[in-house]
């Protein structure tokens, strides 16, 4: 899909929703009810737009220009951009007169250092990078990107699933998207073991070096230590290997949450106070994971459950929702709907549902 090309149906719906919210001025008049104390924004890749026809992960990347526009609109709307270290005070103590926003970036991509860091430094914006211990060490699997690469290059994709070799035609763009969507869904809902077995076999069949994508795309420890000299930068933990935590057994989930804190602290030579759940939706992080992140000594933990944050002395700091800045919606309309909270109206009316 190109940036201005055909959007999948559900995203066409979002786009008309964002446009409608702005057309009736709802981002203004709903704001007192929906904005809350503030929000934690979530980003992934930041890099110049690559005009490729097949881009099934395009929702996970924005351009540096759109990042700059986001900062500009936050400031124009009177929203304080604060460090993650100051969030607890804003939610549980004195919320302050102005709403807050926190900028968070997941996975530790090198493009964040190349394209986001200089821009945020110039604009004096605090931000957090959630790092995966394995990725920064040059090991691991960004399996959704490996899957994209295999499908992009092949006219037919065969994959071993549930003990059977299954073959998909991937000649046309439509077939490539359908295959990606089907396999992504299937791999994410199966067990961790099945996911890795299927992806290892797929990489072998299509001669993709298992660690090559991670080494190409993720910053290493030297780069991260150099980045962290910037006082505006906070490094957070995002596990050892980026698994779907709800599918891990008790020992593994504890290691992924608690040991990643120790490992990243040792590598970075500084305390690590904040954690992000990989994938982070309701199916990937639940009560057990929230409890473990609290018991492991993190000050906060963030999900990818959508929503703004409402001030409360009893707020749960280990299952915080975030506002995803989606690469398929790099428009001022979308930003204003998301930043006002109007896009999350059901959550604002029923705040208890937010953590369901
Ligand atoms: Zn992640």
């Amino acid at each position: 899909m190109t940036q201005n090309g055909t959007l999948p149906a559900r995203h066409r719906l979002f786009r008309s929703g964002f446009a409608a919210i702005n057309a009736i001025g709802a981002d203004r008049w709903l704001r007192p009810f929906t904005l809350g104390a503030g929000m934690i924004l979530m980003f992934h890749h930041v890099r110049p737009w690559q005009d490729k026809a097949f881009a099934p992960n395009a929702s996970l990347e924005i351009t540096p220009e759109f990042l700059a526009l986001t900062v500009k609109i936050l400031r124009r709307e009177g929203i304080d951009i604060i460090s993650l270290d100051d969030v607890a005070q804003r939610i549980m103590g004195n919320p302050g007169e102005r709403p807050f926003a926190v900028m968070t970036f997941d996975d530790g991509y090198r493009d964040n250092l190349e394209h986001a860091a200089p821009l945020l430094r110039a604009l004096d914006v605090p931000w957090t990078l959630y790092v995966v211990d394995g990725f920064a060490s040059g090991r691991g699997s960004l399996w959704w990107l490996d899957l994209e690469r295999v499908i992009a290059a092949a006219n037919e994709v065969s994959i071993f699933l549930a003990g059977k070799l299954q073959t998909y035609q991937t000649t046309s763009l439509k077939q490539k998207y359908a295959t990606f969507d089907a396999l992504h869904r299937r791999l994410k809902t199966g067990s961790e073991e099945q996911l890795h077995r299927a992806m290892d076999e797929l990489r072998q069949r299509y001669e993709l070096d298992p660690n090559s994508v991670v080494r190409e795309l993720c910053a290493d420890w030297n780069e991260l230590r150099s980045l962290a000299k910037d006082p505006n930068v906070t490094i957070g933990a995002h596990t050892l290997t980026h698994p779907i935590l709800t599918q891990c057994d008790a020992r593994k989930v504890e290691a992924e949450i608690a040991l990643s804190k120790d490992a990243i602290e040792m590598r970075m030579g500084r305390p690590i106070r904040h954690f992000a759940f990989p994938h982070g939706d309701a199916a990937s992080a639940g009560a057990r994971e929230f409890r473990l992140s609290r018991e492991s000594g993190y000050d906060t933990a963030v999900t990818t459950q959508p929503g703004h944050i409402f001030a409360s002395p009893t707020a749960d700091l280990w299952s915080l929702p975030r506002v995803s800045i989606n690469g398929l919606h790099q428009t001022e309309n979308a930003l204003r709907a998301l930043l006002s909270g109007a896009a999350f109206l059901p959550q604002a009316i029923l705040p208890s549902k937010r953590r369901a």
Side-chain angles (χ1 to χ4, degrees):
M1 180 187 340
T2 58
Q3 194 170 14
N4 299 310
T6 313
L7 284 171
R10 69 180 186 282
H11 286 287
R12 282 203 301 276
L13 209 79
F14 283 138
R15 186 162 61 185
S16 27
F18 293 142
I21 285 170
N22 282 279
I24 58 171
D27 60 308
R28 298 258 160 250
W29 55 262
L30 283 174
R31 188 178 143 126
F33 311 104
T34 55
L35 180 60
M39 75 209 82
I40 302 175
L41 303 180
M42 171 176 63
F43 305 87
H44 287 83
H45 296 279
V46 179
R47 58 190 173 198
W49 179 252
Q50 305 164 310
D51 197 6
K52 50 183 183 180
F54 180 56
N57 291 298
S59 64
L60 299 177
E61 69 177 275
I62 62 161
T63 63
E65 293 75 25
F66 191 66
L67 180 62
L69 179 69
T70 307
V71 172
K72 187 176 153 191
I73 292 181
L74 283 167
R75 289 188 165 152
R76 196 182 69 199
E77 298 288 320
I79 297 171
D80 291 337
I81 306 177
I82 65 168
S83 158
L84 202 45
D85 288 331
D86 299 328
V87 163
Q89 168 66 19
R90 290 287 190 120
I91 303 174
M92 305 182 77
N94 179 2
E97 285 179 11
R98 288 157 55 103
F100 72 82
V102 180
M103 313 282 277
T104 65
F105 297 72
D106 286 15
D107 301 337
Y109 295 117
R110 187 173 284 119
D111 58 52
N112 292 178
L113 281 63
E114 286 170 357
H115 300 292
L119 196 148
L120 297 173
R121 197 174 303 128
L123 295 169
D124 194 22
V125 170
W127 60 289
T128 294
L129 186 64
Y130 289 113
V131 170
V132 178
D133 177 67
F135 294 174
S137 306
R139 290 187 314 269
S141 160
L142 293 154
W143 60 267
W144 55 98
L145 296 176
D146 293 347
L147 188 62
E148 174 183 335
R149 288 195 183 191
V150 168
I151 295 173
N155 287 325
E156 190 181 277
V157 171
S158 296
I159 183 167
F160 240 97
L161 281 171
K164 268 198 345 227
L165 190 66
Q166 310 204 3
T167 300
Y168 296 80
Q169 292 306 311
T170 52
T171 314
S172 71
L173 199 54
K174 197 172 166 193
Q175 288 172 330
K176 286 184 193 297
Y177 272 107
T179 303
F180 182 88
D181 286 347
L183 289 178
H184 188 275
R185 197 170 31 245
R186 178 100 187 251
L187 291 167
K188 216 182 145 210
T189 48
S191 70
E192 270 286 299
E193 198 198 333
Q194 187 195 51
L195 164 69
H196 289 299
R197 208 171 335 115
M199 285 306 300
D200 285 347
E201 198 268 337
L202 187 78
R203 277 187 287 264
Q204 222 169 43
R205 185 187 304 275
Y206 293 91
E207 296 177 346
L208 189 63
D209 178 334
N211 299 317
S212 62
V213 177
V214 156
R215 288 192 185 137
E216 177 193 324
L217 295 180
C218 293
D220 64 28
W221 293 114
N222 283 333
E223 290 170 303
L224 292 170
R225 278 190 289 266
S226 161
L227 172 77
K229 287 180 189 149
D230 181 340
N232 267 338
V233 172
T234 299
I235 302 291
H238 196 35
T239 69
L240 297 171
T241 66
H242 205 276
I244 299 166
L245 291 170
T246 45
Q247 294 179 11
C248 298
D249 63 33
R251 224 176 58 186
K252 182 163 164 69
V253 76
E254 218 175 306
E256 290 284 349
I257 295 176
L259 295 188
S260 63
K261 186 176 194 296
D262 300 342
I264 299 170
E265 283 179 345
M266 203 179 73
R267 298 285 197 175
M268 296 300 300
R270 59 169 62 198
I272 300 296
R273 300 197 169 95
H274 307 281
F275 181 80
F277 299 103
H279 308 284
D281 53 300
S284 309
R288 176 185 67 164
E289 288 72 32
F290 303 153
R291 176 179 54 78
L292 280 171
S293 65
R294 190 185 68 234
E295 290 173 359
S296 301
Y298 293 106
D299 292 347
T300 70
V302 294
T303 68
T304 60
Q305 300 257 44
H308 279 217
I309 298 170
F310 293 80
S312 159
T314 57
D316 181 353
L317 297 173
W318 296 273
S319 62
L320 293 169
R322 285 192 288 176
V323 173
S324 172
I325 301 299
N326 188 313
L328 299 178
H329 302 285
Q330 299 186 57
T331 64
E332 192 165 337
N333 268 356
L335 270 182
R336 284 174 48 194
L338 292 169
L339 302 184
S340 69
F344 308 107
L345 187 58
Q347 287 98 329
I349 292 172
L350 302 166
S352 60
K353 287 261 181 202
R354 223 170 350 110
R355 293 190 199 100

